[in-house]
Amino acid sequence: MSGMDVVIMAAGKGTRMKSRTPKVLHTLGGVPLIEHVIKVSKSLGARRQVVVVGHEASKVQAALAHHEDLMFALQEPQLGTGHALQSAAAHLPVLPNAGCTLVLSGDVPLIGLNTLQALVAASKEQHLTLLTLKTSSPQGYGRIVRTPNANRQVLGIVEEKDASPQERLIEEIYVGVMVIPNAHLHAWLAALNNNNAQQEYYLTDLVAMAVAAKLEVHTHACLDPNEVAGVNDPAQLAHLERAYQRNVAGQLMHAGARLADPARIDVRGEVVVGQDVEIDVGCVFEGRVVLGDGVKIGAHCVVSNAHLSADVVVKPFTHIQGESSAHLITVGEAAQLGPYARLRAGTVLGAEVHIGNFVEIKNSTLGVGSKANHLAYLGDSVVGDRVNVGAGSITANYDGANKHKTVIEDDVHVGSNSVLVAPVTIARGGTVGAGSVISKDTQAGALTLTRAKAASLAHWSRPQKKPTNPSSG
Ligand code: UD1
Ligand code: CA
């Protein structure tokens, strides 16, 4: 398909979203609407991709700056879809017979690759071709007007606001996606006018022009209404989000994952699963998540940018917060996390590590079999194998200005409620007595503790409450 260019229209205001965010930057599956369209468009192998921006153009353009191969056309002011294409025309080839242009909308996120391939195939890159949908609720859409005879040839598209009561009964609609032969593109765009109910330049008027020039107009019918549904308001966005999530849940189950309820999972990114993965209800996955064979995720976990090795068990309400798909949190085989654990960026856990309730780990590595089961904080630490961190113990890694490192070597036991004041090293096999504040490096194998001597007063009588006077009320 070397001869195809794509124009993605994204200049409209999106008033009904009632939002400060431009419509095409609202997210679906964790990704801006227009990114879904760009992804499909890229898979088509187009020659050029032009995004028409207008309303909040700089915000939209900045959000798409990471795509090096996109071209932007500014449409200012926005005078309709035909005017949007006129604004993009400078980027499109002017040679006769130079392939075709596929027009997409930035706010129709679920448009499928197969559908677009079929549409372009139907156009043979040389016929004006419309993507259509049969629907019993055509309100608001352009209607496909055909000849009354048996040929049912396309005569034009009439917009809702310009349609006669008779035309409004037509249940075949234009969904906003068309293929235009480049041989006619520039001449047709130049001939558009705005003599219509909305005083806009309608791209849909190209159809009547093609018919007048006795050229064939083809249609390709899409069978899935969600694929061609546009996002105009928050309710439509939520509706499409559910459709998208049902789809992703279906793919996960197809890959063998067992979901407690496919309607109660949210994937805002990409989840890759091994065999025998189980996911309970209410979990949210963000960024890139890889779940090895036999991983079990309990209810209501949030897992972002993480690689969980085989047989990891994540108990309910655990939050795994990797910062980006380039920096995954990694968890070794058969580790157990939660309930109510929190792993932050830079966490690397070895096999069979246990992280229990209300334990926070940040930028730290824990070796094989180490455990922090209750109410602990490990930050900027390197923890060896078989270490046990007692309940309520923390690393004091921040002195108010800088972060410092804590090293806890193999086989150390840190007693409950201890503070390890970084920078500090607890040497191999050492024990820290409960309730200690350790600010100097300790000896291997030693018991180290800082603890006030207990004082005990015999026969101590506690203060008594004065009897209350009932009349004082
Ligand atoms: C358009 C079609 C209508 C079709 C419908 C499908 C026209 C005249 N009508 O309707 O037949 O049924 O799509 O959804 O084409 N845009 C710009 N610049 C503008 C106007 C719009 O870039 O000046 C962009 C919008 O951001 C949006 C897309 O074009 O991505 C469609 O615009 P929208 O106003 O939603 O379409 P309609 O004119 O209602
Ligand atoms: Ca419009």
Side-chain angles (χ1 to χ4, degrees):
M1 248 173 248
S2 57
M4 191 178 66
D5 305 293
V6 174
V7 175
I8 302 174
M9 297 186 295
K13 187 148 189 270
T15 313
R16 281 179 282 163
M17 287 303 289
K18 298 186 179 154
S19 168
R20 283 189 294 182
T21 304
K23 178 164 77 174
V24 294
L25 297 185
H26 280 270
T27 59
L28 183 140
V31 176
L33 297 175
I34 192 167
E35 291 281 6
H36 292 270
V37 181
I38 291 169
K39 188 174 174 194
V40 177
S41 160
K42 282 193 176 169
S43 319
L44 282 168
R47 195 161 50 177
R48 301 180 185 74
Q49 298 179 89
V50 184
V51 179
V52 181
V53 291
H55 178 72
E56 299 264 34
S58 52
K59 269 196 198 171
V60 176
Q61 212 167 325
L64 300 178
H66 58 281
H67 294 285
E68 283 165 9
D69 48 351
L70 288 185
M71 293 190 268
F72 293 93
L74 184 65
Q75 186 199 10
E76 189 65 63
Q78 295 90 46
L79 303 178
T81 52
H83 181 244
L85 262 281
Q86 287 171 343
S87 309
H91 293 297
L92 299 170
V94 283
L95 291 172
N97 306 317
C100 64
T101 297
L102 170 65
V103 179
L104 300 172
S105 275
D107 59 357
V108 180
L110 298 188
I111 187 79
L113 182 60
N114 292 342
T115 299
L116 292 181
Q117 281 169 336
L119 179 76
V120 175
S123 80
K124 303 194 177 80
E125 296 194 10
Q126 53 176 325
H127 302 297
L128 184 64
T129 308
L130 311 171
L131 188 60
T132 62
L133 180 77
K134 280 267 193 201
T135 171
S136 55
S137 45
Q139 293 76 22
Y141 291 96
R143 312 295 207 282
I144 308 289
V145 181
R146 291 179 184 269
T147 54
N149 61 26
N151 292 341
R152 309 283 301 141
Q153 274 160 341
V154 175
L155 290 175
I157 298 176
V158 59
E159 292 301 304
E160 165 102 6
K161 289 193 175 127
D162 301 287
S164 66
Q166 218 42 36
E167 287 166 332
R168 288 187 189 185
L169 298 176
I170 297 172
E171 297 194 328
E172 185 184 14
I173 60 166
Y174 167 61
V175 299
V177 175
M178 68 167 78
V179 177
I180 308 168
N182 285 344
H184 304 284
L185 178 82
H186 292 275
W188 286 347
L189 289 179
L192 287 174
N193 65 56
N194 65 350
N195 303 331
N196 53 56
Q198 301 185 84
Q199 298 192 312
E200 284 182 11
Y201 294 87
Y202 290 166
L203 186 61
T204 44
D205 285 352
L206 259 48
V207 179
M209 290 184 193
V211 171
K214 304 222 179 317
L215 295 165
E216 289 175 48
V217 175
H218 295 223
T219 57
H220 175 74
C222 180
L223 300 177
D224 176 2
N226 287 330
E227 258 196 52
V228 293
V231 172
N232 294 300
D233 58 35
Q236 287 171 343
L237 179 58
H239 174 79
L240 282 195
E241 176 77 30
R242 283 305 101 205
Y244 175 83
Q245 294 298 345
R246 268 197 305 280
N247 221 343
V248 174
Q251 287 164 16
L252 285 173
M253 292 186 293
H254 185 72
R258 294 192 289 279
L259 308 183
D261 181 354
R264 282 184 288 169
I265 176 171
D266 285 85
V267 177
R268 300 171 192 157
E270 172 199 24
V271 177
V272 179
V273 291
Q275 270 198 337
D276 288 308
V277 166
E278 293 180 23
I279 301 172
D280 209 335
V281 299
C283 293
V284 177
F285 298 90
E286 297 169 326
R288 177 171 168 78
V289 175
V290 182
L291 305 177
D293 292 348
V295 166
K296 290 187 173 59
I297 313 276
H300 303 291
C301 293
V302 178
V303 183
S304 311
N305 296 308
H307 183 149
L308 310 188
S309 304
D311 300 318
V312 166
V313 176
V314 184
K315 293 175 187 165
F317 300 102
T318 291
H319 191 182
I320 301 177
Q321 271 179 293
E323 67 184 335
S324 77
S325 55
H327 298 100
L328 300 185
I329 284 177
T330 61
V331 179
E333 284 189 15
Q336 295 195 21
L337 311 174
Y340 299 100
R342 180 178 182 208
L343 307 186
R344 292 169 56 198
T347 298
V348 177
L349 303 183
E352 291 171 39
V353 161
H354 289 192
I355 303 298
N357 39 228
F358 307 107
V359 174
E360 174 181 346
I361 314 279
K362 188 215 80 174
N363 191 31
S364 294
T365 301
L366 276 73
V368 175
S370 287
K371 293 177 181 161
N373 270 326
H374 331 268
L375 303 157
Y377 171 59
L378 296 170
D380 305 309
S381 315
V382 177
V383 178
D385 298 343
R386 298 172 301 278
V387 167
N388 189 75
V389 177
S393 288
I394 66 160
T395 55
N397 57 322
Y398 183 52
D399 60 15
N402 297 300
K403 307 262 169 69
H404 300 283
K405 186 169 158 184
T406 302
V407 177
I408 307 175
E409 294 183 353
D410 293 347
D411 300 300
V412 163
H413 274 229
V414 178
S416 296
N417 211 32
S418 297
V419 180
L420 309 180
V421 183
V424 70
T425 296
I426 312 298
R428 182 178 300 269
T431 303
V432 173
S436 298
V437 177
I438 307 293
S439 50
K440 286 199 189 109
D441 294 355
T442 67
Q443 301 278 304
L447 167 66
T448 310
L449 72 171
T450 64
R451 191 181 290 169
K453 278 225 163 62
S456 183
L457 301 185
H459 309 301
W460 174 251
S461 50
R462 283 194 291 267
Q464 304 288 312
K465 269 192 182 160
K466 289 198 184 102
T468 47
N469 180 351
S471 66
S472 74

